[in-house]
Amino acid sequence: FGTLHDQRTGGLSEFCTRGLLARVVNTVKKKIGIGFTVGVEIEFCLVKKNVVGGGAGRSYNESKSVPVPVPVPVDNSLFASTTSLDEQDDFIEVVYDNLAKQNISVEMIHSESAPGQLEVVLPYERDVMKLADNIVLAKETIQVFAQKHNMDALFDPKIWDDKAGNGMHLHLSLRDEMSDDPSRNIFPNDHNNSAGFPSSSDMSSIAESFLEGILSHLKSLVSLTLPTVDSYDRIGPGCWTGHRVEWSIEDKESPLRVCIDANSKKNTNVELKLVDNTCNIYLALAAILWVGSKGIASELKLRPEKRSKPYDCNEDILLPATLDEALLYLEQDIDLIELMGQRLCKSYIAVKRAEIAH
């Protein structure tokens, strides 16, 4: 992996998103002494190669009024079923071995909710760039060996209308780079929790400000983390993604889910669900960490935990329902425009609007 440079000046190109991520990580460490630890869950569906069918898939292209082939899954497994693990054992083993050869650790591989859907979990990395690179390599490895096993690995956000989609959930925690122990997780509060189930008070003030930084930019942020038209078909009530600007503890219907460690009973990290495999992971991570660090630098106060009903349609808290709507928010987000720079931001928006019109 490398970075893009301007051939005339030799400097880092303003269009290099990998360089942008490096700049964010280094700037945040230098200015406020914070480091990040990030893990990821990569979801994909295995389908039969060169086999199509009908059924309840995304089988109709309204813009062209013609049928569209529907991929056929390799099995009809359910969440946590052993069907996919047993039937695709050779494929899983080869993927695991070849990731290991690339020095990419795998925490877990398990079946997910859609037919033929698997999730590969890459463990926490203190080196954020390494994690981003590993995501790219892991997806390439999965696709190559799926083809060698006469299958296709599809990372599309939504393949079948009535089945779960594919996300790429990010797990984020924080470190104090200036402390005696820069590896220590500073997301949880240091006090002992004797009351049982954790509350927001069991998060450190730094973690709370980090969450609020993300929440305050979430409507524009999704234009980078959910960057395709199909991305928004995965989002909505009952889709385990969240569809409103809110956070909660261990609620899979919240876009920002604060996670609890089973042993310590502490809030150890936050899971951001509004990310999928179509995003540029370098740009997405740079934006997420940037707005979160802005929240820390400004000592933002975290809004109350989610209290709305599942189908509350209050427009003030609803996330954009389309990519076009999300891009409108991006155009007004001073912090993200500052991060990306005018040329990258304008180019990104232009390309995305061309894709919408295509």
Side-chain angles (χ1 to χ4, degrees):
F1 287 92
T3 51
L4 299 177
H5 290 259
D6 189 314
Q7 290 179 304
R8 294 164 298 181
T9 66
L12 186 69
S13 169
E14 58 195 311
F15 297 105
C16 180
T17 54
R18 192 171 184 272
L20 181 65
L21 176 58
R23 176 160 61 85
V24 166
V25 172
N26 292 333
T27 299
V28 173
K29 178 180 178 179
K30 180 179 179 180
K31 287 191 172 182
I32 60 175
I34 293 295
F36 306 100
T37 306
V38 185
V40 68
E41 303 168 359
I42 304 171
E43 296 175 340
F44 60 95
C45 290
L46 294 172
V47 301
K48 297 178 181 179
K49 194 172 184 63
N50 299 323
V51 178
V52 294
R58 303 172 66 77
S59 57
Y60 200 78
N61 185 324
E62 293 180 357
S63 63
K64 297 182 179 179
S65 298
V66 294
V68 174
V70 179
V72 177
V74 295
D75 58 56
N76 291 304
S77 60
L78 300 173
F79 175 75
S81 167
T82 58
T83 300
S84 286
L85 299 180
D86 292 339
E87 294 184 3
Q88 312 310 326
D89 179 64
D90 289 343
F91 163 75
I92 292 171
E93 184 175 351
V94 169
V95 167
Y96 182 91
D97 289 345
N98 279 273
L99 289 176
K101 290 177 182 178
Q102 298 171 80
N103 296 314
I104 300 175
S105 299
V106 176
E107 183 175 298
M108 184 187 304
I109 301 177
H110 67 89
S111 57
E112 263 291 349
S113 299
Q117 188 178 40
L118 294 173
E119 178 178 284
V120 174
V121 181
L122 303 187
Y124 286 105
E125 288 282 356
R126 293 191 310 202
D127 184 340
V128 178
M129 188 67 73
K130 180 181 178 182
L131 179 81
D133 290 343
N134 285 351
I135 289 171
V136 175
L137 292 170
K139 288 165 61 180
E140 290 285 340
T141 303
I142 290 165
Q143 287 179 317
V144 166
F145 286 102
Q147 291 175 357
K148 290 181 181 293
H149 284 76
N150 202 35
M151 300 181 290
D152 284 319
L154 302 183
F155 294 87
D156 308 53
K158 196 73 170 174
I159 301 172
W160 303 284
D161 284 334
D162 60 345
K163 301 292 188 291
N166 291 312
M168 186 171 65
H169 303 170
L170 295 173
H171 287 258
L172 311 160
S173 60
L174 305 167
R175 296 177 291 105
D176 182 352
E177 291 278 14
M178 301 297 108
S179 71
D180 293 336
D181 183 7
S183 66
R184 185 175 69 87
N185 183 6
I186 60 170
F187 193 94
N189 206 323
D190 282 334
H191 71 72
N192 293 322
N193 176 22
S194 59
F197 197 77
S199 65
S200 59
S201 63
D202 291 300
M203 275 188 286
S204 66
S205 60
I206 290 176
E208 291 184 354
S209 294
F210 179 73
L211 261 65
E212 185 59 33
I214 295 174
L215 287 166
S216 63
H217 292 271
L218 198 55
K219 289 186 178 184
S220 50
L221 192 60
V222 293
S223 66
L224 306 176
T225 62
L226 303 174
T228 64
V229 172
D230 284 354
S231 295
Y232 295 82
D233 292 333
R234 188 177 71 93
I235 307 304
C239 292
W240 303 335
T241 57
H243 63 287
R244 296 168 301 206
V245 181
E246 59 191 11
W247 71 277
S248 189
I249 297 174
E250 288 295 359
D251 184 347
K252 292 184 178 292
E253 282 296 314
S254 180
L256 280 175
R257 167 187 166 234
V258 174
C259 302
I260 301 170
D261 179 75
N263 295 319
S264 68
K265 300 294 189 293
K266 287 189 174 184
N267 300 321
T268 55
N269 67 278
V270 63
E271 176 188 22
L272 177 59
K273 294 172 170 291
L274 297 173
V275 188
D276 69 39
N277 294 288
T278 62
C279 77
N280 176 324
I281 188 57
Y282 302 103
L283 178 58
L285 273 172
I288 293 164
L289 301 180
W290 182 250
V291 296
S293 67
K294 283 278 189 177
I296 296 172
S298 301
E299 299 183 348
L300 295 183
K301 180 177 174 57
L302 179 62
R303 66 194 69 188
E305 187 178 358
K306 165 183 158 182
R307 289 290 182 267
S308 52
K309 296 179 180 179
Y311 290 87
D312 187 345
C313 292
N314 181 348
E315 291 187 3
D316 290 338
I317 62 171
L318 284 179
L319 284 164
T322 65
L323 175 58
D324 192 45
E325 185 183 351
L327 292 172
L328 292 174
Y329 283 105
L330 177 60
E331 286 179 316
Q332 303 169 41
D333 194 314
I334 296 173
D335 287 332
L336 285 177
I337 293 172
E338 175 195 13
L339 167 70
M340 297 172 69
Q342 288 285 347
R343 291 187 67 193
L344 175 58
C345 189
K346 287 183 177 180
S347 299
Y348 180 88
I349 292 172
V351 169
K352 290 302 165 183
R353 288 205 167 125
E355 290 175 357
I356 293 170
H358 178 65

Coordinates of all heavy atoms in Angstrom, one line a residue, residues 20-68:
L20 N -5.0 11.1 4.0 CA -5.9 11.9 4.8 C -6.1 11.2 6.2 O -6.1 11.8 7.2 CB -7.3 12.0 4.1 CG -8.3 12.8 4.8 CD1 -7.9 14.3 5.0 CD2 -9.6 12.8 4.1
L21 N -6.3 9.8 6.1 CA -6.5 9.1 7.4 C -5.2 9.2 8.2 O -5.3 9.4 9.5 CB -6.8 7.6 7.1 CG -6.9 6.7 8.3 CD1 -7.9 7.2 9.3 CD2 -7.1 5.2 7.8
A22 N -4.0 9.1 7.6 CA -2.8 9.2 8.4 C -2.7 10.6 9.0 O -2.3 10.7 10.2 CB -1.6 9.0 7.5
R23 N -3.1 11.6 8.3 CA -3.1 13.0 8.8 C -4.0 13.2 10.0 O -3.6 13.8 11.0 CB -3.4 14.0 7.7 CG -3.5 15.4 8.2 CD -3.4 16.4 7.1 NE -4.4 16.3 6.1 CZ -5.6 16.9 6.2 NH1 -5.9 17.6 7.2 NH2 -6.5 16.7 5.2
V24 N -5.2 12.6 9.9 CA -6.1 12.7 11.0 C -5.6 12.0 12.3 O -5.6 12.6 13.4 CB -7.5 12.0 10.7 CG1 -8.3 11.8 11.9 CG2 -8.2 12.9 9.7
V25 N -5.1 10.8 12.2 CA -4.5 10.1 13.3 C -3.4 10.8 13.9 O -3.3 11.0 15.2 CB -4.1 8.6 12.9 CG1 -3.3 8.0 14.0 CG2 -5.3 7.8 12.5
N26 N -2.5 11.3 13.1 CA -1.3 12.1 13.6 C -1.7 13.4 14.2 O -1.1 13.8 15.3 CB -0.3 12.3 12.5 CG 0.4 11.0 12.0 OD1 0.5 10.0 12.8 ND2 0.8 10.9 10.8
T27 N -2.6 14.1 13.6 CA -3.0 15.4 14.1 C -3.7 15.3 15.5 O -3.5 16.1 16.4 CB -4.0 16.1 13.1 OG1 -3.3 16.3 11.9 CG2 -4.5 17.5 13.6
V28 N -4.6 14.3 15.6 CA -5.4 14.1 16.8 C -4.4 13.8 18.0 O -4.5 14.3 19.1 CB -6.5 13.1 16.7 CG1 -7.1 12.7 18.0 CG2 -7.5 13.5 15.7
K29 N -3.4 12.9 17.7 CA -2.4 12.5 18.7 C -1.6 13.7 19.1 O -1.4 14.0 20.3 CB -1.5 11.5 18.1 CG -0.4 11.0 19.1 CD 0.5 10.0 18.5 CE 1.6 9.6 19.5 NZ 2.5 8.5 18.9
K30 N -1.2 14.6 18.2 CA -0.4 15.7 18.5 C -1.2 16.8 19.2 O -0.7 17.4 20.2 CB 0.2 16.3 17.2 CG 1.1 17.5 17.4 CD 1.6 18.0 16.0 CE 2.5 19.2 16.2 NZ 3.1 19.7 14.9
K31 N -2.4 17.1 18.8 CA -3.1 18.2 19.4 C -3.9 17.9 20.7 O -3.9 18.7 21.6 CB -4.2 18.7 18.3 CG -3.5 19.4 17.2 CD -4.6 20.2 16.3 CE -3.9 21.0 15.3 NZ -4.9 21.8 14.5
I32 N -4.5 16.7 20.8 CA -5.2 16.4 22.0 C -4.7 15.1 22.7 O -5.3 14.7 23.7 CB -6.7 16.3 21.8 CG1 -7.1 15.3 20.8 CG2 -7.2 17.7 21.4 CD1 -8.6 15.1 20.6
G33 N -3.7 14.5 22.2 CA -3.1 13.3 22.8 C -3.9 12.1 22.8 O -3.8 11.2 23.7
I34 N -4.9 11.9 21.9 CA -5.8 10.8 21.9 C -5.4 9.8 20.7 O -5.1 10.3 19.6 CB -7.2 11.3 21.7 CG1 -7.7 12.0 22.9 CG2 -8.2 10.1 21.4 CD1 -7.8 11.2 24.2
G35 N -5.4 8.5 21.0 CA -5.2 7.5 20.0 C -6.5 6.7 19.9 O -7.4 6.7 20.8
F36 N -6.6 5.9 18.9 CA -7.8 5.1 18.6 C -7.5 3.7 18.5 O -6.4 3.3 18.0 CB -8.5 5.6 17.3 CG -8.8 7.1 17.3 CD1 -7.9 8.0 16.6 CD2 -9.9 7.6 17.9 CE1 -8.2 9.3 16.6 CE2 -10.2 9.0 17.9 CZ -9.3 9.8 17.2
T37 N -8.4 2.9 18.9 CA -8.4 1.4 18.7 C -9.6 1.0 17.9 O -10.7 1.4 18.4 CB -8.3 0.6 20.0 OG1 -7.1 1.2 20.8 CG2 -8.0 -0.8 19.8
V38 N -9.5 0.3 16.8 CA -10.6 0.1 15.9 C -10.7 -1.4 15.5 O -9.6 -2.0 15.2 CB -10.6 1.0 14.7 CG1 -11.8 0.8 13.8 CG2 -10.4 2.4 15.0
G39 N -11.8 -2.0 15.6 CA -12.1 -3.3 15.0 C -13.2 -3.2 14.0 O -13.9 -2.2 13.9
V40 N -13.4 -4.3 13.3 CA -14.4 -4.3 12.2 C -15.1 -5.7 12.1 O -14.5 -6.7 12.3 CB -13.8 -3.9 10.9 CG1 -12.8 -4.9 10.4 CG2 -14.9 -3.6 9.9
E41 N -16.4 -5.6 11.7 CA -17.2 -6.8 11.3 C -17.5 -6.6 9.8 O -18.2 -5.7 9.4 CB -18.4 -6.9 12.1 CG -18.2 -6.9 13.6 CD -19.5 -6.8 14.4 OE1 -20.6 -6.6 13.8 OE2 -19.4 -6.8 15.7
I42 N -17.0 -7.5 9.0 CA -17.2 -7.5 7.5 C -18.3 -8.5 7.2 O -18.1 -9.7 7.3 CB -15.9 -7.7 6.8 CG1 -14.8 -6.8 7.2 CG2 -16.2 -7.7 5.3 CD1 -13.5 -7.1 6.6
E43 N -19.4 -8.1 6.6 CA -20.5 -9.0 6.2 C -20.5 -9.2 4.7 O -20.3 -8.2 4.0 CB -21.9 -8.5 6.7 CG -22.0 -8.4 8.3 CD -23.3 -7.8 8.7 OE1 -23.9 -7.1 7.9 OE2 -23.6 -8.0 9.9
F44 N -20.8 -10.4 4.3 CA -21.0 -10.6 2.8 C -21.8 -11.9 2.7 O -22.0 -12.7 3.6 CB -19.6 -10.9 2.2 CG -18.8 -12.0 2.7 CD1 -18.8 -13.3 2.2 CD2 -18.0 -11.8 3.9 CE1 -18.1 -14.3 2.7 CE2 -17.3 -12.9 4.4 CZ -17.3 -14.1 3.8
C45 N -22.3 -12.0 1.4 CA -23.2 -13.2 1.1 C -22.5 -14.0 0.0 O -22.1 -13.5 -1.0 CB -24.6 -12.8 0.7 SG -25.6 -12.0 2.0
L46 N -22.5 -15.3 0.2 CA -22.0 -16.3 -0.8 C -23.2 -16.7 -1.6 O -24.2 -17.2 -1.1 CB -21.4 -17.5 -0.1 CG -20.1 -17.2 0.7 CD1 -19.7 -18.5 1.5 CD2 -19.0 -16.7 -0.2
V47 N -23.0 -16.5 -2.9 CA -24.1 -17.0 -3.9 C -23.5 -17.9 -4.9 O -22.3 -17.9 -5.1 CB -24.7 -15.7 -4.6 CG1 -25.3 -14.8 -3.5 CG2 -23.7 -15.0 -5.4
K48 N -24.4 -18.7 -5.6 CA -23.9 -19.6 -6.6 C -23.4 -18.9 -7.8 O -24.1 -18.0 -8.3 CB -25.1 -20.6 -6.9 CG -25.5 -21.4 -5.8 CD -26.7 -22.3 -6.1 CE -27.2 -23.1 -4.9 NZ -28.3 -24.0 -5.2
K49 N -22.3 -19.3 -8.3 CA -21.7 -18.6 -9.5 C -22.5 -19.0 -10.7 O -22.8 -20.1 -11.0 CB -20.2 -19.1 -9.6 CG -19.4 -18.2 -10.6 CD -18.0 -18.6 -10.5 CE -17.1 -17.6 -11.4 NZ -17.2 -16.2 -10.9
N50 N -22.8 -17.9 -11.5 CA -23.5 -18.1 -12.8 C -24.9 -18.7 -12.7 O -25.3 -19.4 -13.6 CB -22.6 -18.9 -13.8 CG -21.3 -18.2 -14.1 OD1 -21.2 -17.0 -14.2 ND2 -20.2 -19.0 -14.2
V51 N -25.5 -18.6 -11.5 CA -26.9 -19.1 -11.3 C -27.7 -18.0 -10.8 O -27.4 -17.2 -9.9 CB -26.9 -20.2 -10.3 CG1 -28.3 -20.7 -10.0 CG2 -26.0 -21.4 -10.7
V52 N -28.9 -17.8 -11.5 CA -29.8 -16.7 -11.1 C -31.2 -17.3 -11.0 O -31.5 -18.4 -11.5 CB -29.8 -15.5 -12.1 CG1 -28.5 -14.8 -12.1 CG2 -30.2 -16.0 -13.5
G53 N -32.0 -16.6 -10.3 CA -33.4 -17.0 -10.1 C -34.3 -15.9 -9.9 O -34.0 -14.7 -10.1
G54 N -35.6 -16.2 -9.4 CA -36.5 -15.1 -9.2 C -36.7 -15.0 -7.7 O -35.8 -14.8 -7.0
G55 N -38.0 -15.1 -7.2 CA -38.2 -15.0 -5.8 C -38.3 -13.6 -5.3 O -38.7 -12.7 -6.0
A56 N -37.9 -13.4 -4.0 CA -38.1 -12.1 -3.4 C -36.9 -11.3 -3.4 O -36.7 -10.5 -2.5 CB -38.5 -12.4 -1.9
G57 N -36.1 -11.4 -4.4 CA -34.9 -10.6 -4.5 C -35.2 -9.2 -5.1 O -36.3 -8.9 -5.4
R58 N -34.1 -8.5 -5.3 CA -34.2 -7.2 -6.0 C -34.3 -7.4 -7.5 O -33.4 -7.2 -8.2 CB -33.1 -6.3 -5.6 CG -32.9 -6.2 -4.1 CD -31.7 -5.5 -3.7 NE -31.6 -4.1 -4.1 CZ -32.3 -3.1 -3.5 NH1 -33.1 -3.4 -2.5 NH2 -32.2 -1.9 -3.9
S59 N -35.5 -7.9 -7.9 CA -35.6 -8.5 -9.3 C -36.1 -7.6 -10.3 O -36.4 -8.0 -11.4 CB -36.4 -9.8 -9.2 OG -37.7 -9.5 -8.6
Y60 N -36.3 -6.3 -10.0 CA -37.0 -5.5 -11.0 C -36.3 -4.1 -11.0 O -36.1 -3.5 -9.9 CB -38.4 -5.3 -10.6 CG -39.3 -4.8 -11.8 CD1 -39.6 -5.7 -12.8 CD2 -39.6 -3.5 -11.9 CE1 -40.4 -5.2 -13.9 CE2 -40.4 -3.0 -13.0 CZ -40.7 -3.9 -14.0 OH -41.4 -3.4 -15.1
N61 N -35.8 -3.7 -12.1 CA -35.2 -2.4 -12.3 C -36.2 -1.4 -12.8 O -36.6 -1.4 -13.9 CB -34.0 -2.5 -13.3 CG -33.2 -1.3 -13.4 OD1 -33.8 -0.2 -13.3 ND2 -31.9 -1.4 -13.6
E62 N -36.7 -0.6 -11.8 CA -37.8 0.3 -12.2 C -37.4 1.4 -13.2 O -38.2 1.8 -14.0 CB -38.3 1.1 -10.9 CG -39.0 0.1 -9.9 CD -39.4 0.8 -8.7 OE1 -39.2 2.1 -8.6 OE2 -40.0 0.2 -7.8
S63 N -36.1 1.8 -13.2 CA -35.7 2.8 -14.1 C -35.7 2.3 -15.6 O -35.9 3.1 -16.5 CB -34.3 3.4 -13.7 OG -33.4 2.3 -13.8
K64 N -35.4 1.0 -15.8 CA -35.3 0.5 -17.1 C -36.5 -0.5 -17.4 O -36.7 -0.9 -18.6 CB -34.0 -0.3 -17.3 CG -32.8 0.6 -17.1 CD -31.5 -0.2 -17.3 CE -30.3 0.7 -17.2 NZ -29.0 0.0 -17.4
S65 N -37.3 -0.8 -16.4 CA -38.5 -1.6 -16.6 C -38.2 -3.0 -17.2 O -38.8 -3.5 -18.1 CB -39.6 -0.9 -17.5 OG -40.0 0.3 -16.9
V66 N -37.1 -3.5 -16.8 CA -36.7 -4.9 -17.2 C -36.3 -5.7 -16.0 O -35.9 -5.2 -15.0 CB -35.5 -4.8 -18.2 CG1 -35.9 -4.1 -19.5 CG2 -34.3 -4.1 -17.6
P67 N -36.6 -7.0 -16.1 CA -36.2 -7.9 -15.0 C -34.7 -7.9 -14.8 O -33.9 -7.7 -15.8 CB -36.6 -9.3 -15.5 CG -37.6 -9.0 -16.6 CD -37.2 -7.7 -17.2
V68 N -34.2 -8.0 -13.6 CA -32.8 -8.1 -13.3 C -32.6 -9.4 -12.6 O -33.3 -9.9 -11.7 CB -32.5 -6.9 -12.3 CG1 -31.0 -7.1 -11.8 CG2 -32.7 -5.6 -13.0

